[in-house]
Structures are given as C-alpha cells and as structure tokens.
Amino acid sequence: MRLIAMMLLLVVMIASPYSARAEDKTACPSGLVCATNPKSVADALAAEGYRAKVDADNQGDPAISSASSGYNFDVLFYGCVDHKRCDSLQFRATFEKNASSDVVQMNKWNRDRRFSQMAVRDDGTIILSYDVSTIGGLTKANFADVISWWSTILGEASKFFDSNSKDAPAPAKP
C-alpha cells in the first residue's frame, strides 16, 4: 500500500508542471493586447511610441523588434501552438560579452530586482528578460504599464552595468 501511495505521489509530481500551464484557446478579445494576436502587441507598442517590426524567431514563432533606453530589444512569443495561439511574451535585450559577463554579477541583479532576470550564456553574452502572460488579454493601460516597466528595467540595466563594471557591455547587434 505504501508503495502504491508513493507511486501515485510521483505521478502527480511529474504531471503537475504540465497541468499548471494554461493555454489561451480563445481569440483575442477586441481592444485587448494578446500574444495570440501579434498585431495587437505591435500596435500597442507603436501606440506608446515604440518601433514595432513584426517578424519571426529562428523557430518560426512571432517576434517583434523594437528599442528603448538606447537598447534594441525583442518581444518574443512563447507557449505557441503551431507558431500561433501564443500565451505569453518575453521582452529580451541581448548584450555582448564583457567584464560584467559573470554569474556573480547576474545573481546580484537577480537578487535585487523583482520583475526581470539577467543571465549569461555559455559564450558570455548577457540576456536581460521580462516575462508577461497575456492569457485572456491585457488592457491597453496594463500593456502600457508593462512597456513602462520594461523601459525602466533597461534604464536600470545601464546604471547597473556602469556601476558594476569598468566597461559596460554594448548592446548586441540585432
């Protein structure tokens, strides 16, 4: 009986991460911003004064190129089904390898920040990201706040690099 209970618990633990993931199966409601509708995301970026070039990433999922605070960034779409019906966005800026490209510095950023994450790839490139779920849609005011947070995060990254390195990393070429 104890073995059966342990096996059942193991099955529940393994299945839990997958059952917790919601999928946005509905069309984007009119007037809202949703990852299921990349045009709504691009239009909302443009309405806030940002460049919004819609394209696809290297896996075929939607992607938008833009810029803020002197940095180029991408809006990547995640949770996509057949490169459509995506359920979340990731704002991402990439910085070239430099003296700040170490895990200790990235952990310092992550420890002191709430909404963003900084990581170092194996090649030393720094990735700064901010993830947002859009299931059910975001109002334009909420999405404007998301963009404002992202712009603030990029500005804080510039200050962080300046105060924690002798040579601040340059934005990677898009």
Side-chain angles (χ1 to χ4, degrees):
M1 187 63 138
R2 188 180 226 183
L3 180 61
I4 292 172
M6 287 177 30
M7 290 177 65
L8 183 59
L9 180 61
L10 180 62
V11 168
V12 168
M13 288 172 52
I14 290 171
S16 291
Y18 301 105
S19 62
R21 184 183 175 280
E23 180 183 331
D24 202 348
K25 296 179 182 179
T26 61
C28 185
S30 179
L32 297 182
V33 178
C34 310
T36 58
N37 181 355
K39 184 176 179 342
S40 72
V41 177
D43 289 349
L45 276 165
E48 293 299 314
Y50 292 86
R51 177 182 83 224
K53 181 183 175 211
V54 180
D55 204 350
D57 67 14
N58 56 5
Q59 272 124 28
D61 292 331
I64 298 173
S65 299
S66 191
S68 178
S69 300
Y71 297 117
N72 290 322
F73 68 87
D74 296 308
V75 180
L76 304 174
F77 290 68
Y78 282 90
C80 305
V81 177
D82 297 325
H83 311 295
K84 297 181 250 179
R85 295 194 338 260
C86 309
D87 63 15
S88 58
L89 305 170
Q90 183 180 79
F91 290 76
R92 180 186 288 180
T94 305
F95 304 91
E96 294 180 359
K97 177 181 178 177
N98 81 334
S100 292
S101 298
D102 69 61
V103 174
V104 173
Q105 291 301 320
M106 303 308 103
N107 284 340
K108 182 176 178 182
W109 171 273
N110 294 332
R111 181 185 62 236
D112 297 338
R113 305 299 185 298
R114 185 171 154 209
F115 291 110
S116 61
Q117 177 185 11
M118 199 176 282
V120 181
R121 290 183 176 157
D122 290 340
D123 67 359
T125 304
I126 299 170
I127 301 297
L128 176 62
S129 61
Y130 173 42
D131 293 278
V132 178
S133 173
T134 67
I135 292 177
L138 303 177
T139 65
K140 290 181 180 175
N142 183 236
F143 192 76
D145 187 55
V146 165
I147 295 168
S148 177
W149 271 106
W150 176 242
S151 183
T152 298
I153 289 166
L154 287 173
E156 288 297 313
S158 179
K159 291 178 196 172
F160 177 80
F161 292 138
D162 287 344
S163 66
N164 289 288
S165 172
K166 291 182 177 140
D167 69 1
K173 307 234 180 336

Short mmCIF file of all heavy atoms in Angstrom, two decimals, residues 27-84:
data_model
loop_
_atom_site.label_atom_id
_atom_site.label_comp_id
_atom_site.label_asym_id
_atom_site.label_seq_id
_atom_site.Cartn_x
_atom_site.Cartn_y
_atom_site.Cartn_z
N ALA A 27 -9.85 33.49 -29.08
CA ALA A 27 -9.35 34.62 -29.86
C ALA A 27 -9.17 35.82 -28.93
O ALA A 27 -9.82 35.92 -27.90
CB ALA A 27 -10.33 34.96 -30.97
N CYS A 28 -8.28 36.71 -29.30
CA CYS A 28 -8.02 37.90 -28.50
C CYS A 28 -9.25 38.80 -28.52
O CYS A 28 -9.71 39.21 -29.58
CB CYS A 28 -6.81 38.64 -29.08
SG CYS A 28 -6.29 40.05 -28.08
N PRO A 29 -9.82 39.10 -27.34
CA PRO A 29 -10.99 39.99 -27.31
C PRO A 29 -10.66 41.36 -27.90
O PRO A 29 -9.55 41.87 -27.75
CB PRO A 29 -11.31 40.10 -25.82
CG PRO A 29 -10.71 38.86 -25.20
CD PRO A 29 -9.48 38.59 -26.02
N SER A 30 -11.62 41.94 -28.56
CA SER A 30 -11.43 43.24 -29.20
C SER A 30 -10.96 44.28 -28.18
O SER A 30 -11.47 44.36 -27.07
CB SER A 30 -12.77 43.68 -29.82
OG SER A 30 -12.62 44.95 -30.41
N GLY A 31 -9.97 45.06 -28.60
CA GLY A 31 -9.46 46.13 -27.75
C GLY A 31 -8.42 45.70 -26.73
O GLY A 31 -7.90 46.54 -25.99
N LEU A 32 -8.11 44.41 -26.66
CA LEU A 32 -7.11 43.93 -25.72
C LEU A 32 -5.81 43.55 -26.44
O LEU A 32 -5.79 43.40 -27.66
CB LEU A 32 -7.63 42.73 -24.93
CG LEU A 32 -8.85 42.99 -24.04
CD1 LEU A 32 -9.22 41.73 -23.28
CD2 LEU A 32 -8.61 44.13 -23.07
N VAL A 33 -4.75 43.41 -25.68
CA VAL A 33 -3.45 43.03 -26.22
C VAL A 33 -3.20 41.58 -25.79
O VAL A 33 -3.25 41.26 -24.61
CB VAL A 33 -2.34 43.95 -25.66
CG1 VAL A 33 -0.98 43.53 -26.19
CG2 VAL A 33 -2.64 45.41 -25.99
N CYS A 34 -2.93 40.72 -26.77
CA CYS A 34 -2.77 39.29 -26.50
C CYS A 34 -1.62 38.72 -27.33
O CYS A 34 -1.44 39.09 -28.49
CB CYS A 34 -4.03 38.52 -26.88
SG CYS A 34 -5.57 39.15 -26.24
N ALA A 35 -0.92 37.76 -26.76
CA ALA A 35 0.12 37.05 -27.51
C ALA A 35 -0.50 36.21 -28.62
O ALA A 35 0.18 35.87 -29.59
CB ALA A 35 0.95 36.18 -26.58
N THR A 36 -1.79 35.88 -28.51
CA THR A 36 -2.46 35.14 -29.59
C THR A 36 -2.61 36.00 -30.83
O THR A 36 -2.86 35.48 -31.91
CB THR A 36 -3.86 34.66 -29.15
OG1 THR A 36 -4.64 35.79 -28.76
CG2 THR A 36 -3.79 33.66 -28.03
N ASN A 37 -2.45 37.32 -30.67
CA ASN A 37 -2.60 38.26 -31.79
C ASN A 37 -1.37 39.18 -31.83
O ASN A 37 -1.40 40.26 -31.24
CB ASN A 37 -3.89 39.07 -31.60
CG ASN A 37 -4.14 40.06 -32.72
OD1 ASN A 37 -3.31 40.24 -33.61
ND2 ASN A 37 -5.27 40.71 -32.68
N PRO A 38 -0.29 38.75 -32.51
CA PRO A 38 0.92 39.57 -32.55
C PRO A 38 0.70 41.00 -33.03
O PRO A 38 1.36 41.92 -32.56
CB PRO A 38 1.83 38.80 -33.51
CG PRO A 38 1.37 37.38 -33.41
CD PRO A 38 -0.12 37.47 -33.21
N LYS A 39 -0.28 41.21 -33.92
CA LYS A 39 -0.57 42.56 -34.39
C LYS A 39 -1.04 43.45 -33.24
O LYS A 39 -0.70 44.62 -33.18
CB LYS A 39 -1.60 42.53 -35.52
CG LYS A 39 -1.87 43.91 -36.12
CD LYS A 39 -2.82 43.83 -37.29
CE LYS A 39 -3.17 45.14 -37.93
NZ LYS A 39 -2.95 46.36 -37.26
N SER A 40 -1.80 42.88 -32.31
CA SER A 40 -2.26 43.68 -31.17
C SER A 40 -1.08 44.13 -30.30
O SER A 40 -1.08 45.24 -29.77
CB SER A 40 -3.28 42.90 -30.32
OG SER A 40 -2.67 41.86 -29.57
N VAL A 41 -0.07 43.28 -30.20
CA VAL A 41 1.13 43.63 -29.43
C VAL A 41 1.92 44.72 -30.16
O VAL A 41 2.32 45.72 -29.56
CB VAL A 41 2.02 42.38 -29.18
CG1 VAL A 41 3.29 42.75 -28.44
CG2 VAL A 41 1.24 41.31 -28.42
N ALA A 42 2.11 44.53 -31.47
CA ALA A 42 2.84 45.54 -32.27
C ALA A 42 2.10 46.87 -32.25
O ALA A 42 2.72 47.93 -32.09
CB ALA A 42 3.02 45.03 -33.70
N ASP A 43 0.79 46.84 -32.40
CA ASP A 43 0.01 48.08 -32.40
C ASP A 43 0.10 48.79 -31.04
O ASP A 43 0.19 50.02 -30.98
CB ASP A 43 -1.46 47.80 -32.74
CG ASP A 43 -1.66 47.41 -34.20
OD1 ASP A 43 -0.71 47.56 -35.01
OD2 ASP A 43 -2.77 46.94 -34.53
N ALA A 44 0.08 48.02 -29.96
CA ALA A 44 0.17 48.61 -28.62
C ALA A 44 1.55 49.22 -28.38
O ALA A 44 1.67 50.29 -27.77
CB ALA A 44 -0.15 47.56 -27.55
N LEU A 45 2.60 48.57 -28.87
CA LEU A 45 3.95 49.14 -28.79
C LEU A 45 4.01 50.45 -29.57
O LEU A 45 4.51 51.46 -29.07
CB LEU A 45 4.99 48.16 -29.34
CG LEU A 45 5.50 47.09 -28.40
CD1 LEU A 45 6.23 46.00 -29.19
CD2 LEU A 45 6.43 47.68 -27.35
N ALA A 46 3.50 50.42 -30.80
CA ALA A 46 3.52 51.62 -31.64
C ALA A 46 2.71 52.75 -31.02
O ALA A 46 3.11 53.92 -31.07
CB ALA A 46 3.00 51.29 -33.04
N ALA A 47 1.58 52.42 -30.39
CA ALA A 47 0.74 53.44 -29.75
C ALA A 47 1.47 54.13 -28.61
O ALA A 47 1.18 55.28 -28.28
CB ALA A 47 -0.55 52.81 -29.24
N GLU A 48 2.45 53.44 -28.02
CA GLU A 48 3.25 54.03 -26.93
C GLU A 48 4.51 54.70 -27.46
O GLU A 48 5.37 55.12 -26.68
CB GLU A 48 3.61 52.95 -25.91
CG GLU A 48 2.40 52.42 -25.14
CD GLU A 48 1.70 53.50 -24.34
OE1 GLU A 48 2.39 54.28 -23.65
OE2 GLU A 48 0.45 53.58 -24.42
N GLY A 49 4.64 54.77 -28.80
CA GLY A 49 5.77 55.48 -29.40
C GLY A 49 6.99 54.62 -29.70
O GLY A 49 8.07 55.15 -29.99
N TYR A 50 6.85 53.32 -29.65
CA TYR A 50 7.97 52.42 -29.91
C TYR A 50 7.92 51.88 -31.33
O TYR A 50 6.83 51.67 -31.88
CB TYR A 50 7.96 51.24 -28.93
CG TYR A 50 8.25 51.65 -27.52
CD1 TYR A 50 7.23 52.09 -26.68
CD2 TYR A 50 9.54 51.61 -27.02
CE1 TYR A 50 7.49 52.48 -25.38
CE2 TYR A 50 9.81 52.01 -25.72
CZ TYR A 50 8.78 52.44 -24.91
OH TYR A 50 9.04 52.83 -23.63
N ARG A 51 9.09 51.61 -31.90
CA ARG A 51 9.18 50.90 -33.17
C ARG A 51 8.66 49.49 -32.93
O ARG A 51 8.88 48.91 -31.86
CB ARG A 51 10.65 50.89 -33.60
CG ARG A 51 10.91 50.12 -34.87
CD ARG A 51 12.41 50.11 -35.20
NE ARG A 51 13.06 49.06 -34.44
CZ ARG A 51 14.22 49.19 -33.80
NH1 ARG A 51 14.86 50.33 -33.81
NH2 ARG A 51 14.75 48.18 -33.16
N ALA A 52 7.99 48.91 -33.89
CA ALA A 52 7.44 47.57 -33.73
C ALA A 52 7.49 46.83 -35.06
O ALA A 52 6.52 46.83 -35.82
CB ALA A 52 6.02 47.63 -33.19
N LYS A 53 8.61 46.20 -35.34
CA LYS A 53 8.77 45.44 -36.58
C LYS A 53 8.45 43.97 -36.29
O LYS A 53 9.16 43.30 -35.54
CB LYS A 53 10.20 45.57 -37.10
CG LYS A 53 10.42 44.81 -38.38
CD LYS A 53 11.86 44.90 -38.85
CE LYS A 53 12.03 44.02 -40.07
NZ LYS A 53 13.35 43.47 -40.17
N VAL A 54 7.36 43.48 -36.89
CA VAL A 54 6.93 42.10 -36.67
C VAL A 54 7.69 41.18 -37.61
O VAL A 54 7.85 41.46 -38.80
CB VAL A 54 5.41 41.96 -36.90
CG1 VAL A 54 4.96 40.52 -36.67
CG2 VAL A 54 4.63 42.91 -36.01
N ASP A 55 8.17 40.08 -37.06
CA ASP A 55 8.93 39.10 -37.81
C ASP A 55 8.69 37.74 -37.16
O ASP A 55 7.69 37.54 -36.49
CB ASP A 55 10.41 39.47 -37.79
CG ASP A 55 11.19 38.91 -38.97
OD1 ASP A 55 10.65 38.07 -39.71
OD2 ASP A 55 12.35 39.30 -39.14
N ALA A 56 9.62 36.82 -37.34
CA ALA A 56 9.54 35.51 -36.69
C ALA A 56 10.92 35.20 -36.10
O ALA A 56 11.94 35.65 -36.60
CB ALA A 56 9.15 34.43 -37.69
N ASP A 57 10.93 34.41 -35.01
CA ASP A 57 12.20 34.00 -34.43
C ASP A 57 12.74 32.81 -35.23
O ASP A 57 12.14 32.37 -36.21
CB ASP A 57 12.08 33.71 -32.93
CG ASP A 57 11.21 32.49 -32.61
OD1 ASP A 57 10.89 31.69 -33.52
OD2 ASP A 57 10.85 32.34 -31.43
N ASN A 58 13.87 32.26 -34.80
CA ASN A 58 14.50 31.18 -35.56
C ASN A 58 13.75 29.85 -35.48
O ASN A 58 14.10 28.90 -36.15
CB ASN A 58 15.98 31.01 -35.17
CG ASN A 58 16.15 30.78 -33.70
OD1 ASN A 58 15.19 30.64 -32.95
ND2 ASN A 58 17.40 30.74 -33.26
N GLN A 59 12.67 29.79 -34.66
CA GLN A 59 11.84 28.60 -34.62
C GLN A 59 10.51 28.80 -35.35
O GLN A 59 9.68 27.90 -35.39
CB GLN A 59 11.56 28.19 -33.17
CG GLN A 59 12.62 27.29 -32.60
CD GLN A 59 13.23 27.84 -31.33
OE1 GLN A 59 12.58 28.57 -30.60
NE2 GLN A 59 14.46 27.50 -31.09
N GLY A 60 10.30 30.01 -35.88
CA GLY A 60 9.09 30.29 -36.62
C GLY A 60 7.98 30.94 -35.81
O GLY A 60 6.91 31.22 -36.34
N ASP A 61 8.22 31.15 -34.50
CA ASP A 61 7.22 31.83 -33.68
C ASP A 61 7.32 33.34 -33.92
O ASP A 61 8.37 33.85 -34.29
CB ASP A 61 7.45 31.52 -32.20
CG ASP A 61 7.16 30.06 -31.86
OD1 ASP A 61 6.31 29.44 -32.54
OD2 ASP A 61 7.78 29.54 -30.92
N PRO A 62 6.23 34.06 -33.67
CA PRO A 62 6.28 35.51 -33.88
C PRO A 62 7.35 36.17 -33.01
O PRO A 62 7.69 35.68 -31.93
CB PRO A 62 4.88 35.97 -33.44
CG PRO A 62 4.03 34.77 -33.48
CD PRO A 62 4.93 33.60 -33.20
N ALA A 63 7.85 37.30 -33.47
CA ALA A 63 8.82 38.11 -32.73
C ALA A 63 8.67 39.55 -33.21
O ALA A 63 8.32 39.79 -34.37
CB ALA A 63 10.24 37.62 -32.96
N ILE A 64 8.91 40.48 -32.31
CA ILE A 64 8.84 41.90 -32.65
C ILE A 64 10.15 42.54 -32.24
O ILE A 64 10.64 42.31 -31.14
CB ILE A 64 7.66 42.59 -31.92
CG1 ILE A 64 6.34 41.97 -32.36
CG2 ILE A 64 7.66 44.09 -32.18
CD1 ILE A 64 5.13 42.46 -31.57
N SER A 65 10.74 43.35 -33.12
CA SER A 65 11.96 44.10 -32.83
C SER A 65 11.59 45.52 -32.48
O SER A 65 10.73 46.13 -33.13
CB SER A 65 12.90 44.12 -34.03
OG SER A 65 13.27 42.81 -34.37
N SER A 66 12.25 46.08 -31.44
CA SER A 66 11.98 47.44 -31.02
C SER A 66 13.22 48.01 -30.33
O SER A 66 14.30 47.40 -30.41
CB SER A 66 10.77 47.46 -30.07
OG SER A 66 10.33 48.80 -29.86
N ALA A 67 13.06 49.16 -29.66
CA ALA A 67 14.18 49.78 -28.95
C ALA A 67 13.65 50.69 -27.85
O ALA A 67 12.54 51.23 -27.95
CB ALA A 67 15.04 50.59 -29.91
N SER A 68 14.46 50.84 -26.79
CA SER A 68 14.14 51.75 -25.68
C SER A 68 15.39 51.98 -24.87
O SER A 68 16.26 51.10 -24.78
CB SER A 68 13.05 51.13 -24.79
OG SER A 68 12.76 51.98 -23.69
N SER A 69 15.49 53.15 -24.26
CA SER A 69 16.61 53.49 -23.38
C SER A 69 17.96 53.26 -24.05
O SER A 69 18.93 52.88 -23.40
CB SER A 69 16.51 52.69 -22.07
OG SER A 69 15.32 52.99 -21.39
N GLY A 70 18.01 53.44 -25.36
CA GLY A 70 19.25 53.27 -26.10
C GLY A 70 19.60 51.84 -26.45
O GLY A 70 20.67 51.57 -26.98
N TYR A 71 18.71 50.91 -26.16
CA TYR A 71 18.97 49.49 -26.42
C TYR A 71 17.94 48.92 -27.39
O TYR A 71 16.74 49.20 -27.26
CB TYR A 71 18.91 48.66 -25.13
CG TYR A 71 19.96 49.02 -24.12
CD1 TYR A 71 19.61 49.53 -22.88
CD2 TYR A 71 21.31 48.84 -24.40
CE1 TYR A 71 20.57 49.85 -21.94
CE2 TYR A 71 22.28 49.15 -23.46
CZ TYR A 71 21.91 49.66 -22.24
OH TYR A 71 22.86 49.97 -21.32
N ASN A 72 18.40 48.08 -28.31
CA ASN A 72 17.48 47.29 -29.13
C ASN A 72 16.96 46.16 -28.26
O ASN A 72 17.69 45.65 -27.39
CB ASN A 72 18.19 46.72 -30.35
CG ASN A 72 18.55 47.78 -31.35
OD1 ASN A 72 17.82 48.72 -31.58
ND2 ASN A 72 19.72 47.65 -31.95
N PHE A 73 15.73 45.76 -28.48
CA PHE A 73 15.19 44.60 -27.77
C PHE A 73 14.19 43.88 -28.65
O PHE A 73 13.75 44.41 -29.67
CB PHE A 73 14.56 45.01 -26.42
CG PHE A 73 13.30 45.82 -26.52
CD1 PHE A 73 12.05 45.21 -26.63
CD2 PHE A 73 13.34 47.21 -26.48
CE1 PHE A 73 10.89 45.96 -26.71
CE2 PHE A 73 12.18 47.96 -26.55
CZ PHE A 73 10.95 47.34 -26.66
N ASP A 74 13.88 42.67 -28.26
CA ASP A 74 12.89 41.86 -28.97
C ASP A 74 11.76 41.53 -28.02
O ASP A 74 11.95 41.40 -26.81
CB ASP A 74 13.50 40.55 -29.47
CG ASP A 74 14.59 40.78 -30.51
OD1 ASP A 74 14.31 41.50 -31.48
OD2 ASP A 74 15.70 40.25 -30.33
N VAL A 75 10.57 41.36 -28.58
CA VAL A 75 9.44 40.80 -27.87
C VAL A 75 9.23 39.42 -28.49
O VAL A 75 8.88 39.32 -29.67
CB VAL A 75 8.18 41.66 -28.00
CG1 VAL A 75 7.02 41.02 -27.21
CG2 VAL A 75 8.43 43.09 -27.52
N LEU A 76 9.51 38.38 -27.71
CA LEU A 76 9.39 37.01 -28.19
C LEU A 76 8.08 36.41 -27.70
O LEU A 76 7.61 36.73 -26.60
CB LEU A 76 10.58 36.18 -27.70
CG LEU A 76 11.95 36.76 -28.08
CD1 LEU A 76 13.06 35.95 -27.43
CD2 LEU A 76 12.11 36.80 -29.58
N PHE A 77 7.49 35.55 -28.49
CA PHE A 77 6.21 34.94 -28.17
C PHE A 77 6.44 33.49 -27.73
O PHE A 77 7.16 32.74 -28.40
CB PHE A 77 5.30 34.98 -29.40
CG PHE A 77 4.83 36.39 -29.73
CD1 PHE A 77 5.73 37.35 -30.19
CD2 PHE A 77 3.51 36.73 -29.58
CE1 PHE A 77 5.31 38.64 -30.48
CE2 PHE A 77 3.07 38.02 -29.88
CZ PHE A 77 3.98 38.98 -30.33
N TYR A 78 5.84 33.11 -26.61
CA TYR A 78 6.02 31.77 -26.04
C TYR A 78 4.69 31.07 -25.85
O TYR A 78 3.63 31.69 -25.88
CB TYR A 78 6.76 31.86 -24.70
CG TYR A 78 8.23 32.06 -24.88
CD1 TYR A 78 8.77 33.34 -24.95
CD2 TYR A 78 9.08 30.97 -24.99
CE1 TYR A 78 10.13 33.52 -25.13
CE2 TYR A 78 10.44 31.15 -25.17
CZ TYR A 78 10.96 32.43 -25.23
OH TYR A 78 12.30 32.61 -25.41
N GLY A 79 4.77 29.76 -25.64
CA GLY A 79 3.58 28.95 -25.45
C GLY A 79 2.76 28.85 -26.72
O GLY A 79 1.53 28.71 -26.66
N CYS A 80 3.42 28.91 -27.84
CA CYS A 80 2.72 28.90 -29.13
C CYS A 80 2.34 27.48 -29.54
O CYS A 80 3.05 26.52 -29.24
CB CYS A 80 3.60 29.52 -30.23
SG CYS A 80 4.19 31.18 -29.83
N VAL A 81 1.24 27.38 -30.25
CA VAL A 81 0.80 26.12 -30.84
C VAL A 81 0.89 26.30 -32.34
O VAL A 81 0.20 27.15 -32.91
CB VAL A 81 -0.64 25.76 -30.41
CG1 VAL A 81 -1.10 24.48 -31.08
CG2 VAL A 81 -0.74 25.66 -28.90
N ASP A 82 1.76 25.53 -32.98
CA ASP A 82 1.98 25.65 -34.43
C ASP A 82 2.32 27.09 -34.84
O ASP A 82 1.79 27.61 -35.84
CB ASP A 82 0.76 25.15 -35.22
CG ASP A 82 0.49 23.67 -34.99
OD1 ASP A 82 1.46 22.91 -34.83
OD2 ASP A 82 -0.70 23.29 -34.95
N HIS A 83 3.15 27.76 -34.04
CA HIS A 83 3.62 29.13 -34.30
C HIS A 83 2.50 30.16 -34.25
O HIS A 83 2.64 31.27 -34.75
CB HIS A 83 4.37 29.21 -35.63
CG HIS A 83 5.40 28.15 -35.77
ND1 HIS A 83 6.51 28.08 -34.97
CD2 HIS A 83 5.47 27.08 -36.60
CE1 HIS A 83 7.23 27.02 -35.31
NE2 HIS A 83 6.62 26.40 -36.29
N LYS A 84 1.37 29.78 -33.64
CA LYS A 84 0.22 30.67 -33.46
C LYS A 84 -0.32 30.43 -32.05
O LYS A 84 0.18 29.60 -31.31
CB LYS A 84 -0.88 30.37 -34.48
CG LYS A 84 -0.49 30.59 -35.92
CD LYS A 84 -1.65 30.29 -36.83
CE LYS A 84 -1.30 29.04 -37.58
NZ LYS A 84 -2.24 28.53 -38.48
#
